[in-house]
């Protein structure tokens, strides 16, 4: 009669926020070592299957000295799957993280503004940039990108990797390349938890 207890408490279901993912993959010459590209392709395929199943928009760019569009936000994943599988045919050149980030964040921002969505940018690379911005200048650019979207850098391999240094608190290093697919999914799950029900 006094309406106390859990049964009378108002239950509020949070609204699910739509999220778009921008994936940037390094395909420079150094990716030939330690089966890095093979595991990167497996990761992208697994990641793409999950995002496609969840009906979450995503875009994929591969980069070295230049940036190559593998899948746009509007394209159907199944129509682009062959391009992901064939990525090892494009290996070569230097590593230009600056160019990849600039192209990536502009594409993500345009799509998210048009659709009223949130966005996440993820960059995978195995080493130090050999083209474009480096050192503190690159760190400054990454901080600017983080001011616009959650941004994660993933580095792999036993040798010295600069991803942790450049991406600071949002950079992770995976020493065993075979763990990359599960790391991709772990990161995606964490980001979805953070953003899906954000106010």
């Amino acid at each position: 009669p006094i309406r106390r207890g859990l049964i009378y408490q108002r239950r509020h279901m949070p609204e699910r926020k739509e999220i778009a993912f921008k994936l940037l993959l390094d395909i420079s010459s150094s990716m030939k070592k330690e089966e890095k590209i093979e595991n990167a392709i497996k990761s992208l395929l697994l990641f793409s299957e999950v995002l496609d199943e969840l009906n979450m928009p995503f875009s994929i760019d591969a980069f070295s000295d230049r940036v190559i569009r593998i899948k746009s936000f509007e394209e159907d994943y199944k129509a682009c799957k062959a391009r992901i599988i064939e990525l090892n045919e494009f290996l070569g050149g230097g590593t230009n993280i600056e160019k990849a980030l600039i192209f990536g964040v502009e594409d993500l921002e345009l799509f998210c503004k048009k659709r009223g969505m949130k966005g996440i940018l993820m960059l995978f690379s195995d080493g130090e940039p050999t083209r474009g911005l480096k050192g503190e200048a690159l760190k400054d650019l990454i901080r600017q990108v983080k001011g616009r979207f959650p941004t994660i850098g993933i580095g792999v391999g036993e040798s010295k990797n600069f991803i942790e240094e450049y991406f600071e608190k949002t950079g992770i290093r995976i020493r065993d390349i075979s763990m990359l697919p599960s790391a991709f999914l772990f990161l995606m799950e964490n980001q979805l938890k953070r953003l899906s029900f954000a106010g």
Side-chain angles (χ1 to χ4, degrees):
I2 55 175
R3 306 234 169 213
R4 285 183 184 165
L6 291 174
I7 196 169
Y8 293 108
Q9 289 181 9
R10 182 180 175 188
R11 292 195 171 118
H12 178 260
M13 291 297 290
E15 181 186 351
R16 181 177 179 271
K17 301 291 183 184
E18 294 296 325
I19 302 170
F21 281 81
K22 183 68 180 183
L23 311 175
L24 303 171
L25 176 68
D26 185 349
I27 56 167
S28 61
S29 297
S30 58
M31 289 290 288
K32 295 176 184 176
K33 303 170 187 174
E34 301 178 48
E35 297 184 339
K36 290 174 185 174
I37 191 61
E38 288 83 358
N39 281 283
I41 289 170
K42 287 177 190 174
S43 300
L44 271 182
L45 288 169
L46 183 60
F47 206 77
S48 299
E49 293 284 349
V50 172
L51 291 174
D52 186 57
E53 191 68 27
L54 293 172
N55 292 317
M56 302 191 86
F58 65 101
S59 174
I60 303 170
D61 290 350
F63 70 94
S64 53
D65 301 300
R66 58 197 176 115
V67 180
I68 304 167
R69 177 63 40 83
I70 304 301
K71 179 194 176 299
S72 72
F73 286 107
E74 288 80 11
E75 284 180 289
D76 178 62
Y77 160 64
K78 292 172 182 66
C80 306
K81 194 172 180 178
R83 285 181 228 159
I84 300 173
I85 295 168
E86 294 163 3
L87 269 174
N88 56 0
E89 295 176 17
F90 296 95
L91 279 183
T95 306
N96 194 328
I97 292 175
E98 174 199 0
K99 186 179 282 188
L101 286 171
I102 290 171
F103 273 75
V105 77
E106 285 178 356
D107 188 39
L108 182 59
E109 192 164 60
L110 187 66
F111 181 81
C112 288
K113 278 186 176 177
K114 192 190 301 181
R115 302 293 182 92
M117 299 172 72
K118 293 179 180 253
I120 297 172
L121 189 145
M122 298 176 72
L123 181 141
F124 169 86
S125 180
D126 71 327
E128 185 177 17
T130 57
R131 304 282 191 276
L133 293 179
K134 301 173 187 175
E136 285 302 317
L138 181 56
K139 280 186 183 180
D140 287 341
L141 174 64
I142 292 169
R143 289 182 195 118
Q144 290 173 35
V145 172
K146 286 180 183 180
R148 293 155 81 174
F149 295 103
T151 304
I152 300 163
I154 305 162
V156 298
E158 289 292 339
S159 56
K160 181 172 174 59
N161 194 292
F162 289 79
I163 291 297
E164 285 176 305
E165 179 185 338
Y166 285 126
F167 284 79
E168 300 172 307
K169 292 179 181 177
T170 64
I172 65 165
R173 181 180 175 191
I174 304 162
R175 285 178 173 80
D176 185 351
I177 190 78
S178 65
M179 298 303 294
L180 183 59
S182 57
F184 259 114
L185 288 178
F186 174 75
L187 284 168
M188 187 188 79
E189 186 179 354
N190 278 353
Q191 292 302 313
L192 287 175
K193 281 178 182 175
R194 285 182 58 211
L195 292 180
S196 285
F197 301 114

